[in-house]
Amino acid sequence: MKFLRFTQYVYLVAAAFMAYRTTQLWNSGTDERYLYLLFTFAALGMFFFRQWYFKKFEERAKKNQQKQP
């Protein structure tokens, strides 16, 4: 379960790499730069979604522990 806590940071690493590639390709004139830009925002969105979902999951687990005698 602890491993899942750290997997959300993989999305941050991917977003950083995609942002780096976007800056490298920005003046190249290819459409590939827009694909990398899209993946950057998608990875950031997935990071924040996973973070929000994990907090929600932890709150639910705490509530279930408090309800049990």
Side-chain angles (χ1 to χ4, degrees):
M1 186 67 176
K2 296 274 184 180
F3 177 72
L4 293 177
R5 181 73 174 144
F6 297 108
T7 57
Q8 65 188 356
Y9 296 107
V10 172
Y11 291 111
L12 277 182
V13 172
F17 173 73
M18 297 296 175
Y20 172 72
R21 286 293 294 161
T22 301
T23 57
Q24 280 185 331
L25 296 172
W26 193 254
N27 292 326
S28 68
T30 63
D31 290 335
E32 190 177 1
R33 61 188 172 186
Y34 297 118
L35 186 62
Y36 278 108
L37 188 62
L38 175 71
F39 285 147
T40 300
F41 289 123
L44 286 174
M46 284 299 297
F47 167 75
F48 288 118
F49 174 75
R50 294 277 297 187
Q51 195 174 28
W52 170 76
Y53 189 76
F54 192 77
K55 286 179 184 178
K56 183 178 170 182
F57 185 74
E58 283 182 333
E59 289 173 6
R60 184 181 296 172
K62 286 179 184 179
K63 284 183 183 180
N64 286 341
Q65 285 179 351
Q66 289 175 354
K67 287 183 182 179
Q68 293 177 354

